[in-house]
Amino acid sequence: MLTLLTLLKDGHFHSGEALGAALGVSRSAVWKQLQHLEAELNLPIHKVRGKGYQLASPLVFLNSESIGLNAPGLTWPVHIFDTIDSTNAEALRLVDAGHIAPFLVLAEQQTAGRGRRGRKWVSPFAQNVYYSLVLRVEGGVRQLEGLSLVVGLAVMQTLRESGVQGAALKWPNDVLVGDKKVAGILLELVGDPADICHVVIGVGINVNMQKAEEVDQRWTSVRLEAGASVDRNHLVARLSVQLQGYLARHKESGFSALQAEWEQSHLWQGRAVSLIAGASQIDGEVLGVDHQGALRLSVEGVEKIYSGGELSLRLRDDS
């Protein structure tokens, strides 16, 4: 099927006869493969009598050479998969198999993509960016304080470079445009947190997606915001360059050096929010974050600090 998709990726019409000749199969076999493409990869295909078959939108596949050309200083090995359960899961498997970090895992499609708190990350084929960067950490996890917020800054700047001027941050792991999510971040750790470990920086960005009935929250994409299709190879390259810069600053000076920059881009700064932790709810006003990236809330006039992977922040109805 992917061979057929390669023939169609230019977005032009191709006759069933020409496709069959290129693949060495009958026109009826081409028709069956096209039906599988639509069903399994959710790619709409136009069928016009006398003209043939055409993808609703042209496709540009992920390519390590193209990424390298757009980020000439990037030295991370890049592993690209057509379809995979999860780039984070594959990154962890590669660590377990002895691959040397840093390295990057990308996929055209995820069958079991995941976000924070066990949520599903909808991952249609060849439309978005599913990105997992693996780093080796020596000397304990204290070096990772505020890391997810630092990654958020890199993602936000990449999106703004790509024409999404309204991209802003929501504590702790989301990038929004207004009240719509455009990107999310998931960090996973493996190894000895007191000594040598690996952290997987997972980033999901809605790039060229225009429809997604499975998503259970308000969302948008780079294409919807910028008004044009985006070359994902260029976006991956720009994200990697941004990450290199922000990770270097974080490693040298810690999150405290980036705290003010993060707060300036926090969409909910000063807003009335509810912090959800399991079955409990804490109402307060966002003051910002501390030098470790924890949330600072004013709760009944008293400043309190909150951090943890299972917390969820929501705007209050009266905000």
Side-chain angles (χ1 to χ4, degrees):
M1 283 197 304
L2 291 179
T3 304
L4 174 58
L5 191 57
T6 300
L7 296 172
L8 292 169
K9 70 177 184 178
D10 59 9
H12 298 153
F13 275 104
H14 297 265
S15 70
E17 184 179 358
L19 292 172
L23 295 172
V25 299
S26 65
R27 292 177 63 179
S28 62
V30 169
W31 171 255
K32 290 180 181 178
Q33 286 196 35
L34 288 167
Q35 289 181 306
H36 282 302
L37 275 180
E38 283 194 292
E40 294 183 19
L41 302 183
N42 195 28
L43 289 173
I45 298 173
H46 297 153
K47 310 170 188 68
V48 178
R49 185 179 295 276
K51 297 183 73 172
Y53 308 100
Q54 175 196 48
L55 283 177
S57 298
L59 293 179
V60 177
F61 295 134
L62 295 170
N63 179 278
S64 57
E65 290 185 7
S66 180
I67 293 167
L69 287 173
N70 285 287
L74 188 67
T75 59
W76 304 331
V78 181
H79 304 265
I80 300 176
F81 297 86
D82 292 327
T83 299
I84 202 170
D85 54 351
S86 156
T87 56
N88 266 29
E90 178 62 22
L92 291 170
R93 288 191 290 265
L94 290 173
V95 169
D96 192 52
H99 284 253
I100 305 299
F103 61 85
L104 180 59
V105 178
L106 303 169
E108 297 287 3
Q109 181 185 44
Q110 297 182 122
T111 59
R114 57 185 189 269
R116 288 182 67 242
R117 305 169 72 218
R119 289 179 173 167
K120 178 182 179 181
W121 189 270
V122 176
S123 310
F125 186 87
Q127 294 186 45
N128 300 329
V129 163
Y130 319 117
Y131 179 113
S132 295
L133 173 64
V134 180
L135 303 176
R136 176 184 166 96
V137 180
E138 298 183 9
V141 294
R142 286 190 61 86
Q143 299 175 70
L144 303 181
E145 288 175 347
L147 181 60
S148 65
L149 279 66
V150 173
V151 175
L153 281 168
V155 174
M156 179 192 72
Q157 296 294 358
T158 301
L159 292 173
R160 290 180 177 179
E161 286 181 354
S162 301
V164 187
Q165 296 302 319
L169 302 169
K170 175 203 161 190
W171 187 91
N173 293 80
D174 292 339
V175 183
L176 307 180
V177 180
D179 63 347
K180 298 177 181 178
K181 187 168 180 174
V182 66
I185 297 154
L186 176 66
L187 267 55
E188 296 187 88
L189 198 69
V190 61
D192 184 351
D195 189 14
I196 298 175
C197 58
H198 288 82
V199 61
V200 179
I201 297 172
V203 177
I205 303 176
N206 298 332
V207 183
N208 291 319
M209 186 165 70
Q210 298 185 82
K211 295 181 180 179
E213 297 176 359
E214 298 175 74
V215 181
D216 61 358
Q217 58 184 308
R218 291 176 64 83
W219 65 274
T220 188
S221 68
V222 180
R223 180 170 182 172
L224 290 174
E225 295 298 323
S229 180
V230 176
D231 185 334
R232 293 173 304 134
N233 289 303
H234 184 263
L235 192 144
V236 165
R238 295 309 307 158
L239 173 58
S240 299
V241 170
Q242 287 284 356
L243 270 173
Q244 277 187 322
Y246 274 105
L247 290 172
R249 292 171 63 187
H250 181 256
K251 184 176 182 179
E252 181 178 347
S253 306
F255 178 71
S256 58
L258 296 161
Q259 178 182 350
E261 181 181 349
W262 193 92
E263 288 183 335
Q264 288 171 3
S265 298
H266 191 206
L267 195 62
W268 292 0
Q269 195 77 5
R271 303 288 295 275
V273 298
S274 294
L275 186 67
I276 312 299
S280 64
Q281 175 176 314
I282 301 158
D283 293 334
E285 181 180 302
V286 176
L287 299 175
V289 293
D290 69 6
H291 66 280
Q292 297 177 328
L295 182 68
R296 298 168 51 234
L297 280 187
S298 174
V299 181
E300 298 180 347
V302 178
E303 180 175 328
K304 296 189 176 182
I305 307 296
Y306 299 93
S307 63
E310 298 304 313
L311 299 177
S312 176
L313 195 64
R314 301 175 187 170
L315 277 180
R316 287 221 309 269
D317 291 341
D318 58 349
S319 178

